[in-house]
Amino acid sequence: MGVRVLANDQKPVLIVGGAQGIGKEIAERFLKEGHRVAVSDIDEQGLSLLKKQHSELLTFQADVSSWESVQQMISAAERELGGIAHLVYSAGMTKSLPFLEVDFSLWKKTLAVNLYGLYYCIKASAPYICERQEGSIVVIGSGSAITGSGGGIQYYASKAGAFGLM
Ligand SMILES: NC(=O)c1ccc[n+]([C@@H]2O[C@H](COP(=O)([O-])OP(=O)(O)OC[C@H]3O[C@@H](n4cnc5c(N)ncnc54)[C@H](O)[C@@H]3O)[C@@H](O)[C@H]2O)c1
Protein backbone atom coordinates (compact mmCIF):
# COMPACT_ATOMS: atom_id res chain seq x y z
CA MET A 1 0.00 0.00 0.00
CA GLY A 2 2.76 2.45 0.98
CA VAL A 3 4.79 1.64 -2.12
CA ARG A 4 1.77 2.27 -4.35
CA VAL A 5 1.36 5.75 -2.88
CA LEU A 6 5.08 6.62 -3.22
CA ALA A 7 5.21 5.09 -6.69
CA ASN A 8 3.18 7.97 -8.13
CA ASP A 9 5.68 10.76 -7.55
CA GLN A 10 8.77 9.72 -9.64
CA LYS A 11 11.30 11.00 -7.10
CA PRO A 12 14.73 9.42 -6.40
CA VAL A 13 14.62 6.38 -4.15
CA LEU A 14 17.30 4.58 -2.17
CA ILE A 15 16.58 1.01 -1.06
CA VAL A 16 18.94 -0.20 1.67
CA GLY A 17 19.22 -4.00 1.78
CA GLY A 18 17.74 -4.42 -1.68
CA ALA A 19 19.95 -7.09 -3.26
CA GLN A 20 17.32 -9.72 -2.55
CA GLY A 21 13.98 -10.40 -0.90
CA ILE A 22 11.48 -7.66 -0.04
CA GLY A 23 13.95 -4.84 -0.81
CA LYS A 24 14.62 -6.21 -4.30
CA GLU A 25 10.88 -6.44 -5.02
CA ILE A 26 10.41 -2.85 -3.86
CA ALA A 27 13.34 -1.63 -5.99
CA GLU A 28 11.94 -3.35 -9.07
CA ARG A 29 8.51 -1.85 -8.46
CA PHE A 30 9.96 1.66 -8.21
CA LEU A 31 11.98 1.09 -11.40
CA LYS A 32 8.83 -0.03 -13.19
CA GLU A 33 7.15 3.20 -12.09
CA GLY A 34 9.95 5.26 -13.66
CA HIS A 35 11.86 6.38 -10.55
CA ARG A 36 15.62 6.84 -10.38
CA VAL A 37 16.54 4.00 -8.03
CA ALA A 38 19.66 3.09 -6.07
CA VAL A 39 20.09 -0.11 -4.10
CA SER A 40 22.68 -0.70 -1.42
CA ASP A 41 23.58 -3.98 0.24
CA ILE A 42 26.50 -5.77 1.83
CA ASP A 43 26.11 -8.57 -0.71
CA GLU A 44 28.31 -7.62 -3.66
CA GLN A 45 27.36 -10.66 -5.71
CA GLY A 46 23.64 -10.04 -5.21
CA LEU A 47 24.12 -6.42 -6.29
CA SER A 48 25.94 -7.36 -9.46
CA LEU A 49 23.24 -9.91 -10.38
CA LEU A 50 20.61 -7.23 -9.85
CA LYS A 51 22.59 -4.76 -11.95
CA LYS A 52 22.73 -7.33 -14.76
CA GLN A 53 18.93 -7.50 -14.71
CA HIS A 54 18.44 -3.72 -14.46
CA SER A 55 21.27 -1.72 -16.00
CA GLU A 56 19.59 1.61 -15.11
CA LEU A 57 19.86 0.78 -11.41
CA LEU A 58 22.61 2.36 -9.29
CA THR A 59 24.19 -0.03 -6.80
CA PHE A 60 26.36 0.62 -3.76
CA GLN A 61 28.07 -1.95 -1.61
CA ALA A 62 27.86 -0.93 2.06
CA ASP A 63 27.68 -2.51 5.49
CA VAL A 64 24.87 -0.84 7.46
CA SER A 65 26.46 -1.82 10.76
CA SER A 66 29.32 0.61 10.03
CA TRP A 67 28.64 4.35 10.41
CA GLU A 68 31.55 5.17 8.06
CA SER A 69 30.27 2.78 5.41
CA VAL A 70 26.73 4.22 5.68
CA GLN A 71 27.95 7.82 5.46
CA GLN A 72 29.96 7.05 2.31
CA MET A 73 27.08 5.12 0.73
CA ILE A 74 24.43 7.77 1.46
CA SER A 75 26.54 10.63 0.13
CA ALA A 76 27.49 8.67 -3.02
CA ALA A 77 23.84 7.70 -3.58
CA GLU A 78 22.69 11.28 -3.07
CA ARG A 79 25.27 12.57 -5.52
CA GLU A 80 24.67 9.96 -8.21
CA LEU A 81 20.89 9.81 -7.88
CA GLY A 82 20.60 13.59 -7.85
CA GLY A 83 19.05 13.59 -4.37
CA ILE A 84 17.24 11.22 -2.05
CA ALA A 85 13.50 11.70 -1.62
CA HIS A 86 12.54 8.27 -0.35
CA LEU A 87 14.62 5.92 1.77
CA VAL A 88 13.44 2.34 2.21
CA TYR A 89 15.24 0.32 4.89
CA SER A 90 14.95 -3.39 4.15
CA ALA A 91 18.32 -4.62 5.45
CA GLY A 92 17.88 -7.20 8.13
CA MET A 93 18.95 -10.46 9.65
CA THR A 94 17.11 -13.07 11.65
CA LYS A 95 17.97 -16.39 13.19
CA SER A 96 15.45 -18.52 14.97
CA LEU A 97 17.11 -19.95 18.07
CA PRO A 98 15.97 -20.82 21.61
CA PHE A 99 16.80 -18.09 24.16
CA LEU A 100 19.65 -20.01 25.79
CA GLU A 101 21.39 -20.48 22.44
CA VAL A 102 21.52 -16.79 21.55
CA ASP A 103 25.07 -15.67 22.27
CA PHE A 104 26.52 -12.14 22.61
CA SER A 105 27.87 -12.23 19.09
CA LEU A 106 24.50 -12.95 17.48
CA TRP A 107 22.78 -10.46 19.81
CA LYS A 108 25.20 -7.66 18.90
CA LYS A 109 25.27 -8.42 15.18
CA THR A 110 21.46 -8.48 14.90
CA LEU A 111 21.09 -5.20 16.79
CA ALA A 112 23.88 -3.73 14.64
CA VAL A 113 22.10 -4.54 11.38
CA ASN A 114 18.41 -4.23 12.30
CA LEU A 115 18.57 -1.26 14.67
CA TYR A 116 21.92 0.59 14.61
CA GLY A 117 22.05 0.35 10.80
CA LEU A 118 18.57 1.83 10.60
CA TYR A 119 19.60 4.70 12.87
CA TYR A 120 22.78 5.32 10.83
CA CYS A 121 20.84 5.37 7.54
CA ILE A 122 18.21 7.75 8.92
CA LYS A 123 20.84 10.01 10.49
CA ALA A 124 22.84 10.19 7.26
CA SER A 125 19.91 10.64 4.85
CA ALA A 126 17.46 12.77 6.85
CA PRO A 127 19.34 16.05 6.19
CA TYR A 128 18.95 15.51 2.42
CA ILE A 129 15.28 14.58 2.73
CA CYS A 130 14.58 17.53 5.04
CA GLU A 131 16.39 19.90 2.68
CA ARG A 132 14.00 18.86 -0.12
CA GLN A 133 11.07 19.40 2.28
CA GLU A 134 9.45 16.31 0.80
CA GLY A 135 9.93 12.58 0.89
CA SER A 136 9.67 9.69 3.28
CA ILE A 137 11.52 7.04 5.24
CA VAL A 138 9.99 3.58 5.08
CA VAL A 139 11.10 0.82 7.42
CA ILE A 140 10.19 -2.85 7.07
CA GLY A 141 9.14 -3.73 10.59
CA SER A 142 7.71 -6.94 11.98
CA GLY A 143 4.70 -7.86 14.07
CA SER A 144 7.03 -10.20 15.97
CA ALA A 145 8.35 -7.09 17.78
CA ILE A 146 5.10 -7.36 19.74
CA THR A 147 4.04 -10.98 19.44
CA GLY A 148 7.51 -12.63 19.44
CA SER A 149 7.21 -15.49 16.97
CA GLY A 150 9.23 -16.91 14.08
CA GLY A 151 12.63 -15.34 14.92
CA GLY A 152 14.79 -15.17 18.02
CA ILE A 153 14.79 -12.77 21.00
CA GLN A 154 17.59 -10.75 19.38
CA TYR A 155 15.35 -10.22 16.35
CA TYR A 156 12.24 -9.25 18.37
CA ALA A 157 14.28 -6.78 20.43
CA SER A 158 15.79 -5.21 17.32
CA LYS A 159 12.40 -4.83 15.65
CA ALA A 160 10.85 -3.38 18.81
CA GLY A 161 13.73 -0.89 18.86
CA ALA A 162 13.03 0.00 15.24
CA PHE A 163 9.37 0.71 16.11
CA GLY A 164 10.52 3.00 18.91
CA LEU A 165 12.94 4.80 16.61
CA MET A 166 10.28 5.37 13.96
N1 LIG B 1 10.38 -12.06 4.84
C1 LIG B 1 9.49 -11.93 5.79
O1 LIG B 1 8.55 -12.74 5.93
C2 LIG B 1 9.56 -10.75 6.73
C3 LIG B 1 8.54 -10.58 7.68
C4 LIG B 1 8.60 -9.48 8.54
C5 LIG B 1 9.65 -8.60 8.44
N2 LIG B 1 10.63 -8.79 7.52
C6 LIG B 1 11.72 -7.82 7.49
O2 LIG B 1 11.83 -7.28 6.20
C7 LIG B 1 13.19 -6.97 5.92
C8 LIG B 1 13.62 -7.68 4.63
O3 LIG B 1 13.39 -9.07 4.81
P1 LIG B 1 13.70 -10.11 3.65
O4 LIG B 1 12.84 -11.29 3.90
O5 LIG B 1 13.65 -9.44 2.33
O6 LIG B 1 15.20 -10.51 4.05
P2 LIG B 1 16.42 -10.93 3.12
O7 LIG B 1 17.36 -11.66 4.00
O8 LIG B 1 15.94 -11.58 1.87
O9 LIG B 1 17.05 -9.49 2.73
C9 LIG B 1 17.75 -8.73 3.65
C10 LIG B 1 18.87 -8.02 2.93
O10 LIG B 1 19.64 -7.31 3.92
C11 LIG B 1 20.99 -7.43 3.54
N3 LIG B 1 21.88 -7.23 4.68
C12 LIG B 1 22.11 -8.07 5.73
N4 LIG B 1 23.07 -7.58 6.52
C13 LIG B 1 23.48 -6.39 5.97
C14 LIG B 1 24.45 -5.43 6.32
N5 LIG B 1 25.24 -5.58 7.41
N6 LIG B 1 24.58 -4.34 5.53
C15 LIG B 1 23.82 -4.19 4.41
N7 LIG B 1 22.87 -5.07 4.03
C16 LIG B 1 22.72 -6.17 4.80
C17 LIG B 1 21.13 -8.85 2.98
O11 LIG B 1 22.30 -9.01 2.20
C18 LIG B 1 19.83 -8.97 2.19
O12 LIG B 1 19.99 -8.57 0.85
C19 LIG B 1 13.99 -7.40 7.15
O13 LIG B 1 14.17 -6.32 8.01
C20 LIG B 1 13.09 -8.44 7.78
O14 LIG B 1 13.31 -8.52 9.17
C21 LIG B 1 10.61 -9.85 6.68
Side-chain angles (χ1 to χ4, degrees):
M1 177 69 90
V3 172
R4 196 174 307 136
V5 172
L6 298 181
N8 291 327
D9 71 14
Q10 311 289 313
K11 295 185 181 103
V13 186
L14 170 63
I15 318 287
V16 179
Q20 64 170 48
I22 295 170
K24 177 173 182 271
E25 295 290 323
I26 293 173
E28 289 176 332
R29 174 61 193 273
F30 274 115
L31 278 177
K32 203 168 149 198
E33 299 287 338
H35 288 254
R36 294 192 306 286
V37 181
V39 166
S40 82
D41 206 288
I42 197 169
D43 175 8
E44 218 163 353
Q45 208 182 350
L47 286 176
S48 66
L49 276 174
L50 192 60
K51 181 82 179 165
K52 273 189 195 145
Q53 290 163 21
H54 306 283
S55 56
E56 70 277 41
L57 193 70
L58 294 171
T59 55
F60 300 93
Q61 203 257 346
D63 177 358
V64 294
S65 66
S66 156
W67 170 232
E68 288 72 27
S69 180
V70 167
Q71 279 180 298
Q72 284 168 18
M73 178 273 287
I74 296 278
S75 68
E78 199 273 343
R79 199 172 52 245
E80 293 184 36
L81 267 179
I84 298 170
H86 303 301
L87 174 84
V88 179
Y89 193 87
S90 191
M93 60 177 287
T94 181
K95 188 162 189 175
S96 188
L97 280 179
F99 173 75
L100 293 178
E101 289 174 32
V102 176
D103 60 17
F104 288 129
S105 162
L106 181 63
W107 171 266
K108 284 181 186 167
K109 181 73 191 159
T110 306
L111 272 284
V113 174
N114 295 3
L115 182 57
Y116 280 67
L118 171 61
Y119 172 65
Y120 296 157
C121 287
I122 291 174
K123 187 164 178 60
S125 64
Y128 298 120
I129 297 171
C130 290
E131 198 181 301
R132 295 177 72 97
Q133 300 199 329
E134 61 180 0
S136 61
I137 296 175
V138 175
V139 180
I140 316 295
S142 173
S144 70
I146 297 156
T147 59
S149 67
I153 48 116
Q154 76 291 351
Y155 179 75
Y156 313 141
S158 70
K159 290 295 181 183
F163 272 121
L165 170 55
M166 291 318 291

